[in-house]
Amino acid sequence: MNIEVKQGDIANQPDITAIVNAANAQLKTGGGVAGAIHRAAGPGLEEECRKYAPINPGEAVITEAHKLPNEYVIHCLGPVYGVDHPEPTLLANCYRNALKLVEEHKIDSVAFPAISTGAFGYPLEQATDVAVSVLNEVGTDLASLKKLRFVLFSQTDLDVYQKKLNPLINRLK
Ligand code: ADP
């Protein structure tokens, strides 16, 4: 499996099979990642999501991608920092459950945003540690997955991810 880190918009990853949404409990459009994804997907996504809502922190559900250039959207509800406890476990569950859906659907490429680090207030460095720890835990030889991409909005967030993921990326070379 190839792991990469890119700056950009999670709603504009046309070479990726499944993108991950930093969803809200109602699986509706909103600000940040959820807004970008639902705007690009069109109203059909919210309609499809209705039957799965609400979800709990740490849970993930998979839908079609509608007008997005992908095949699937995996919606994860991250913990609200300082409210949903224990935050590291709930955030790790997002990554674990998303990867479980990736395997179940034999998905070959997936892109994650930095779940919970926007409106939900999770400090980026700590959230990055959680993402890296899940990758170390599940291993990098998942059956179907060939490419895992983290998409960061800002250069400073990208720098943090790069620094923390480099040991793992170098080990895979
Ligand atoms: P949450 O509610 O889980 O905190 P947000 O969408 O508010 O989710 O933010 C999660 C992270 O995604 C933040 O670091 C934010 O800067 C970043 N972000 C916001 N919009 C986008 C986008 N279109 N593509 C990628 N990352 C984004």
Side-chain angles (χ1 to χ4, degrees):
M1 178 169 88
N2 179 262
I3 299 176
E4 56 184 38
V5 187
K6 269 182 86 168
Q7 190 177 4
D9 178 357
I10 191 75
N12 185 21
Q13 304 296 321
D15 60 329
I16 293 287
T17 303
I19 58 166
V20 175
N21 183 13
N24 49 64
Q26 297 302 327
L27 302 176
K28 291 191 167 168
T29 188
V33 167
I37 287 178
H38 279 276
R39 268 195 306 278
L45 180 61
E46 229 179 43
E47 211 175 297
E48 187 186 353
C49 280
R50 221 177 286 148
K51 60 177 177 279
Y52 299 113
I55 63 169
N56 295 309
E59 289 181 349
V61 297
I62 189 165
T63 66
E64 289 175 24
H66 299 265
K67 291 182 179 163
L68 282 156
N70 316 98
E71 278 182 47
Y72 300 101
V73 179
I74 297 173
H75 308 259
C76 293
L77 178 62
V80 177
Y81 198 76
V83 174
D84 298 316
H85 306 290
E87 290 92 337
T89 306
L90 294 172
L91 185 59
N93 286 347
C94 285
Y95 288 101
R96 288 188 193 111
N97 287 325
L99 290 173
K100 206 184 279 177
L101 288 170
V102 160
E103 286 299 284
E104 280 170 15
H105 291 262
K106 301 187 169 38
I107 289 166
D108 61 350
S109 56
V110 66
F112 283 91
I115 300 167
S116 280
T117 66
F120 286 2
Y122 211 120
L124 186 87
E125 296 239 354
Q126 292 170 43
T128 311
D129 288 338
V130 172
V132 173
S133 73
V134 172
L135 289 183
N136 281 319
E137 161 199 308
V138 301
T140 48
D141 47 0
L142 297 164
S144 66
L145 192 62
K146 301 283 170 276
K147 182 183 286 190
L148 190 153
R149 177 180 294 163
F150 289 102
V151 178
L152 289 312
F153 219 29
S154 74
Q155 180 67 47
T156 45
D157 291 356
L158 181 82
D159 292 343
V160 170
Y161 259 78
Q162 243 153 9
K163 187 182 74 195
K164 290 188 181 280
L165 273 169
N166 263 344
L168 186 57
I169 290 172
N170 287 333
R171 236 185 296 146
L172 294 175
K173 273 181 189 159

